[in-house]
Amino acid sequence: MNNLLSCITDGIRRVAIVGHVRPDGDCAGSVMAAYHYLRDNVPSLEIVPFLQELPYGIRFLVKDCPVRCDDGAGEKFDLVISLDAAAENRIGAGIEAFRACENTVCIDHHQTCTAFGKVNRVEPRASSACEVLYRLMQRDRIGFDTAVCLYTGIIHDTGALRFDNVSPETVMIVSDLIARGIPFTKIIEKSFTEKSLTEMKITGEIIKNSRLFREEHFLYGCCDLEMQKRYGIDPTELGSVVASMNEAREARVVLFMYQFEDGSWKGSLRSKCDVDVAKIALRYGGGGHVKAAGFSFDQDPERAAEEIRKLLPSEEI
Ligand SMILES: [Mn+2]
């Protein structure tokens, strides 16, 4: 598939767009970019974007849009498009709508992606799902709202163009989006840099309690429900903690684990060396990228950290 509009064949009237569980900027950005693009260019379509609740900083992406957060069970769509999800079971809201539909498209950039759609466009070297999606759009058909969503996704998955998933092509795309007059400074500030004071304080406590294994240059920290309650925040407000931990000079691999209301945990991994954290996440049924990956688990976090430490190369200090 080279063109998103080529999916809209005769007889397609009702389209669902879905992303992964616990949506981030690239997931919500790509789902909403596809929504705006199809709505602008095929006004006769009924388009339903599905997204679970978003972290505060990126809620502007769904403002005034008819987004649904249920699983879409029992509903009939002529086409379901999945964005930024590496496997079918990683789809969040709308997963049942996807499963029930014969006509599915999978657009993704994870190296662990299973290409689970009937039609697939997976580019493991692309910075973001938004970058892949941009290439499936016609430049002169991209409207303002679509540009805002695409830009937000690229910024989030590249750490504001700092990560090594940025290619000259990524920068060309950003250049084209900025040329459309989008408020690019404000988007970075509001959705990426800015945090609540509470988020900064809890990050401080997590880092204070974190533990460094010097031989492996492995830093890990965790945040259980008790700590979240004490600060009055939920897991959607912990998205920036792992990036803060990753700034530690002593760390080459970072693990941040946080608990959900049902007692389960999520682990976020980052690497600043040649350790491929996607491979580690895959062992736990997760996935991601070489330098940033995640997984879910139920065991004791200390034990999970110890297991992961044993997978890392160590060296004399
Ligand atoms: Mn992504």
Side-chain angles (χ1 to χ4, degrees), residues 20 24-27 30 83-85 108-110 127-130 153 157 289:
H20 60 70
D24 56 13
D26 185 36
C27 171
S30 56
L83 283 144
D84 203 32
D108 189 35
H109 70 119
H110 292 88
S127 68
S128 50
C130 280
D157 262 22
H289 308 282

Side-chain angles (χ1 to χ4, degrees), residues 41 100 126 131 138 158 198 305:
N41 291 292
E131 180 175 330
Q138 285 164 251
T158 60
T198 310

Side-chain angles (χ1 to χ4, degrees), residues 68-294:
R68 280 173 49 179
C69 57
D70 60 292
D71 63 9
E75 284 207 50
K76 174 111 182 62
F77 289 94
D78 303 314
L79 170 69
V80 182
I81 302 170
S82 167
L83 283 144
D84 203 32
E88 194 186 274
N89 63 10
R90 291 279 302 156
I91 295 175
I95 186 168
E96 295 306 331
F98 186 96
R99 285 185 168 142
C101 186
E102 281 168 25
N103 195 9
T104 56
V105 174
C106 162
I107 298 169
D108 189 35
H109 70 119
H110 292 88
Q111 57 164 18
T112 53
C113 183
T114 55
F116 53 90
K118 189 178 162 205
V119 174
N120 298 280
R121 175 75 178 222
V122 180
E123 294 182 27
R125 271 189 290 276
S127 68
S128 50
C130 280
E131 180 175 330
V132 181
L133 185 60
Y134 174 92
R135 282 197 271 276
L136 297 173
M137 294 175 170
Q138 285 164 251
R139 278 190 56 176
D140 57 352
R141 287 175 176 262
I142 296 175
F144 186 85
D145 292 337
T146 307
V148 165
C149 296
L150 290 173
Y151 177 80
T152 306
I154 294 173
I155 287 305
H156 277 247
D157 262 22
T158 60
L161 300 181
R162 287 178 298 135
F163 300 159
D164 62 5
N165 57 4
V166 173
S167 68
E169 173 71 10
T170 317
V171 181
M172 297 279 283
I173 294 169
V174 166
S175 162
D176 174 48
L177 297 173
I178 284 177
R180 294 162 192 269
I182 59 170
F184 58 94
T185 309
K186 212 171 133 202
I187 292 172
I188 295 195
E189 265 173 27
K190 292 286 167 201
S191 77
F192 188 73
T193 323
E194 215 172 77
K195 300 170 194 74
S196 71
L197 188 57
T198 310
E199 193 176 341
M200 293 169 75
K201 284 182 179 172
I202 198 169
T203 303
E205 182 169 338
I206 293 161
I207 292 176
K208 192 166 149 233
N209 299 337
S210 68
R211 186 166 169 207
L212 176 72
F213 289 97
R214 289 192 178 271
E215 273 138 78
E216 292 86 0
H217 304 273
F218 173 48
L219 178 70
Y220 80 87
C222 54
C223 181
D224 61 13
L225 285 172
E226 181 279 318
M227 195 192 286
Q228 292 170 37
K229 289 217 173 77
R230 193 148 42 81
Y231 282 87
I233 72 173
D234 66 68
T236 65
E237 293 170 89
L238 295 170
S240 68
V241 176
V242 72
S244 299
M245 291 175 66
N246 207 25
E247 287 172 7
R249 181 176 293 133
E250 292 80 356
R252 289 188 197 157
V253 176
V254 167
L255 169 64
F256 172 54
M257 298 166 287
Y258 52 106
Q259 199 173 18
F260 286 81
E261 199 60 56
D262 65 0
S264 70
W265 290 78
K266 170 164 182 192
S268 285
L269 283 158
R270 294 291 181 275
S271 165
K272 288 187 282 187
C273 58
D274 52 15
V275 170
D276 179 348
V277 289
K279 277 192 188 150
I280 298 175
L282 210 53
R283 292 173 71 112
Y284 292 87
H289 308 282
V290 176
K291 302 214 156 153

